[in-house]
């Protein structure tokens, strides 16, 4: 694994940990749906 790949993986893990804190007890599919809904709201503004 290159340093770049390791860094990218570390960033993904950190992002997912933040999302897990924001959406406790939800499945990844539910979290994705929530985030897509938020994005759609922002697109409509």
């Amino acid at each position: 694994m290159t340093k770049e790949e390791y860094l990218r993986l570390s960033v993904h893990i950190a992002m997912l940990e933040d999302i897990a804190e924001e959406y406790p007890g939800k499945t990844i599919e539910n979290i994705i749906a929530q985030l897509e809904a938020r994005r759609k709201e922002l697109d409509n503004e």
Side-chain angles (χ1 to χ4, degrees), residues 20-31:
E21 286 180 20
E22 191 172 339
Y23 297 98
K26 298 206 178 213
T27 65
I28 192 69
E29 290 86 4
N30 289 341
I31 293 169

Side-chain angles (χ1 to χ4, degrees), residues 36-45:
E36 287 176 340
R38 288 168 72 181
R39 181 176 62 185
K40 186 175 181 182
E41 286 178 17
L42 292 173
D43 288 342
N44 290 333
E45 291 182 357

Side-chain angles (χ1 to χ4, degrees), residues 1-44:
M1 178 179 284
T2 66
K3 287 184 180 184
E4 183 177 301
E5 291 169 331
Y6 181 83
L7 178 60
R8 185 173 180 193
L9 179 60
S10 296
V11 169
H12 285 166
I13 291 169
M15 287 176 22
L16 290 172
E17 287 173 344
D18 289 344
I19 291 168
E21 286 180 20
E22 191 172 339
Y23 297 98
K26 298 206 178 213
T27 65
I28 192 69
E29 290 86 4
N30 289 341
I31 293 169
I32 291 168
Q34 295 262 338
L35 293 173
E36 287 176 340
R38 288 168 72 181
R39 181 176 62 185
K40 186 175 181 182
E41 286 178 17
L42 292 173
D43 288 342
N44 290 333

